[in-house]
């Protein structure tokens, strides 16, 4: 089961110009990784990416950085959960299966 990684550079605004806490579509780019028994890395985030939306269909653990490795002690993302995380341009995300 994959993890979807959607990259955003800014938050959306409502009709009155107030910021709402969702990514402004269209997104910068989308990636999809399949967590396995060893850590799997994404491509580098876009130069304008400031946060990502993570959604997974299976339990996994993740790590973010210039050359990340996800492990059994990395933050856990349960199946069916969506999470927004601030990131740095050019960094990557790594994922691994979790129970």
């Amino acid at each position: 089961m994959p993890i979807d990684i959607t990259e955003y550079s800014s938050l959306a605004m409502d009709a009155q110009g107030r910021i709402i806490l969702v990514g402004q579509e269209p997104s910068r780019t989308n990636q999809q990784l399949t967590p396995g028994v060893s850590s799997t890395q994404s491509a580098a985030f876009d130069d304008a990416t400031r946060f990502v939306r993570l959604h997974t269909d299976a339990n996994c653990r993740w790590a973010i950085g210039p050359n990340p490795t996800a492990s059994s002690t990395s933050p856990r993302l349960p199946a069916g959960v969506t999470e927004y995380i601030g990131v740095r341009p050019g960094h990557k995300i790594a994922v691994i299966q979790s129970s």
Side-chain angles (χ1 to χ4, degrees):
M1 296 289 187
I3 180 170
D4 293 308
I5 305 147
T6 308
E7 301 180 33
Y8 294 99
S9 59
S10 61
L11 295 172
M13 291 185 167
D14 68 12
Q16 287 73 42
R18 295 179 298 232
I19 293 175
I20 54 176
L21 299 179
V22 296
Q24 177 63 54
E25 293 290 349
S27 61
R28 301 294 305 169
T29 189
N30 298 291
Q31 299 187 53
Q32 204 173 60
L33 294 176
T34 301
V37 294
S38 60
S39 183
T40 303
Q41 253 183 36
S42 70
F45 299 139
D46 183 272
D47 287 342
T49 296
R50 297 296 184 266
F51 63 100
V52 294
R53 176 187 180 268
L54 304 177
H55 181 81
T56 183
D57 294 328
N59 297 334
C60 66
R61 293 188 178 268
W62 57 271
I64 293 177
N67 187 26
T69 300
S71 71
S72 62
T73 59
S74 297
R76 185 173 183 271
L77 185 62
V81 170
T82 299
E83 179 128 15
Y84 286 86
I85 302 191
V87 298
R88 293 184 180 162
H91 279 192
K92 302 172 186 175
I93 185 169
V95 297
I96 192 169
Q97 288 176 354
S98 178
S99 54

